[in-house]
Amino acid sequence: MNLKQSVSFALVFVVAACGPQRQPQEPAKNTGAPVLPEPSAPPAVTNDQTPVQQKPTATIDPKSTEAALDMLRGFVDLLNRGKFDEAYMLLGPAAPPRTDFDRQFSRYSDLKISVGSAGDQEGAAGSIYLSVPLTVTGALKGERTSRSATAILRRVNDVPGSTEAQRHWHIERVDWGSGA
């Protein structure tokens, strides 16, 4: 590019720059739209919920009456739900034959067993026994019936030669009272 061309180019540029300046247009105002506030920082997130406090689970002494009743309630719950196989497994070594056990409970429709208050623990020959009354209700041959029974629970004391399983409560037997 020679000097003449450079000066001509510069003049064109200067003249163009001196022309009328364009001002940016203001946005059209919409008077029907609601006026929104300027955005601000998002609100702080708060957790108004109190965390769920779980009750500490107290350890139950496995030798206690409470432990025996917990085991018996589990047995009764299984019977009430018709889970005779699982309930039978909670019986101790003196359990009746399976057919006798099934006959005692499966003949009821609408079986409901409730657990009464436990008596005192009694000791004999290295074992501890606990008697707990039961009430068995349901329908036999279409008739409502109720009968009483006593669950005899047993555990072996901490004697030499006893096994861990023997030292836990189990259902020794169920003694049937009067009734159907």
Side-chain angles (χ1 to χ4, degrees), residues 2 28 31 35 40 61 64 71 86 94 108 110 112-113 116 126 128-129 132 137 139-140 147 153 156 158 170-171:
N2 65 25
T31 57
V35 177
S40 62
D61 178 3
S64 70
M71 188 274 309
E86 294 174 45
Y108 286 92
D110 193 30
K112 174 72 174 131
I113 302 172
I128 301 294
Y129 293 88
V132 183
T137 59
L140 284 173
R147 69 187 287 194
L153 286 71
V156 173
D158 297 336
H170 60 270
I171 299 167

Side-chain angles (χ1 to χ4, degrees), residues 78-144:
L78 291 169
L79 290 173
N80 285 339
R81 292 188 293 145
K83 297 189 173 201
F84 301 121
D85 291 336
E86 294 174 45
Y88 189 78
M89 298 304 293
L90 294 177
L91 298 177
R98 179 60 196 264
T99 54
D100 293 348
F101 175 81
D102 286 347
R103 187 176 57 248
Q104 289 294 335
F105 298 106
S106 63
R107 61 190 179 138
Y108 286 92
S109 60
D110 193 30
L111 175 68
K112 174 72 174 131
I113 302 172
S114 58
V115 178
S117 298
D120 292 329
Q121 292 185 19
E122 299 176 15
S127 292
I128 301 294
Y129 293 88
L130 183 66
S131 297
V132 183
L134 303 174
T135 303
V136 180
T137 59
L140 284 173
K141 299 178 185 171
E143 287 190 38
R144 293 296 296 164

